[in-house]
Amino acid sequence: MRSSLFPQYRRGFATLAAGAVAALAVAAPAVAQPAAAKGDKPQTPPAQMSSVGGAALALPGPQAGAGAPALPKDLSSLSWIVSDADSGDVLAASNAHWPLPPASTLKMLFADTVLPIVPHGLSHTVTDAELRGIGSGSSAVGILPGQRYTTDDLWRGVFLRSGNDAVHVLAAMNGGVDKTVADMQKRADALGAKDTHVRSPDGYDAPGQVSSAYDLSLFLRAGLKNADFKEFCSTAEAKFPGGPSTKGKPFAISNTNRMLSGIGGVPKYPGLIGGKNGYTSHAGNTLAEAATRDGRTLLVTVMNPQTKKRDEVYVEMAKLLDWGFQAVGRTKPIGSLDQNSPAAADSSSARTAAGVKTPGDAADGSMGALGWTGLGAVVAVAGGAIAFALKRRRAGESAE
């Protein structure tokens, strides 16, 4: 949702916009990224992907272990993964290590990194300087310079409204944007998230900024171990402090994670704990969720569905969660989020012993209707990434 929906933000928008600059000014190492513009040819995963967590996770296309029920049909996401939050077992995946722009799902890493340093219960008066440098068209909760907020307010702005303004204020409280980006990269490295290259604290598109379905699941799993993270990501609705335009009265905010809040007609998913959603025109829709049923907690991440139907990312998420709850406890894992576990053994013999189904073995329909071979030619976008980013539409940059 764009910030224009909030009365609080209209008064402060001019100040925010005047200071906003593209978060793309710094040079970054070249990292393969997907095509950004509509009409581009379909994308294919890299010829070589990481085998961190298990050899099967380096294979292109859908993979599931022995004993798995048939995977859902018509999955169009470029990348996805289903895992057990407690054991770390990966039950199924498709292109799990494909480095892709994460959009606002990267805020999970931001929260996992910064929440222990800037916890709830503090208060802070926002300055104009803290709202400078926010990417044009960013989603915002409606923070005003000169107004005092609690850190609980700011974190709800991050999790519910995906507010880049809230991220930048919290980053300032953490020592600044540059320090926060460095801290996030250090945290990603410590978690073994080797596909992730952090360039902005809020997930706003920047050259070289990528993550993967595997890494995003690592971030959600780690974050859920923090009670504050779990509380904030599970919150569907809250009140946010008002300003002059609301005569100081708080106004309601709903979580843009529609599977949690049910806004926009998306059904609430039974047992959903929560997670984080994201969108930019470059990244497409991204979504990571945790849900629990019968004592089992699953993590699912999906990145960039290619089927351009409204709320397709939630449709595919629900399918994979339903599949996961059918599969957990009866399916041989194909890898692990715990990279030192036996399930993560990185060898072809381990993959064979596990009974991993590759695209050639998919007589049960586990390939789905899309299939990995139908994705088409690789599109290189490293050159001209900054020029594209500066030309993209404002609405396309409004992350959820």
Side-chain angles (χ1 to χ4, degrees), residues 140-180:
V141 66
I143 291 172
L144 296 176
Q147 185 156 320
R148 195 165 188 83
Y149 299 89
T150 68
T151 46
D152 297 64
D153 296 326
L154 297 173
W155 282 114
R156 281 189 283 267
V158 171
F159 278 97
L160 275 69
R161 298 310 309 173
S162 203
N164 289 5
D165 50 355
V167 168
H168 276 248
V169 174
L170 288 164
M173 296 176 70
N174 183 55
V177 168
D178 291 344
K179 178 182 181 297
T180 299

Side-chain angles (χ1 to χ4, degrees), residues 75-121:
L75 295 176
S76 69
S77 294
L78 294 182
S79 175
W80 55 263
I81 187 171
V82 181
S83 57
D84 185 312
D86 297 318
S87 68
D89 289 346
V90 176
L91 307 179
S94 181
N95 307 318
H97 282 295
W98 188 349
L100 295 164
S104 285
T105 49
L106 195 64
K107 289 182 171 77
M108 294 188 298
L109 176 60
F110 170 78
D112 183 52
T113 303
V114 177
L115 249 174
I117 302 167
V118 187
H120 73 87

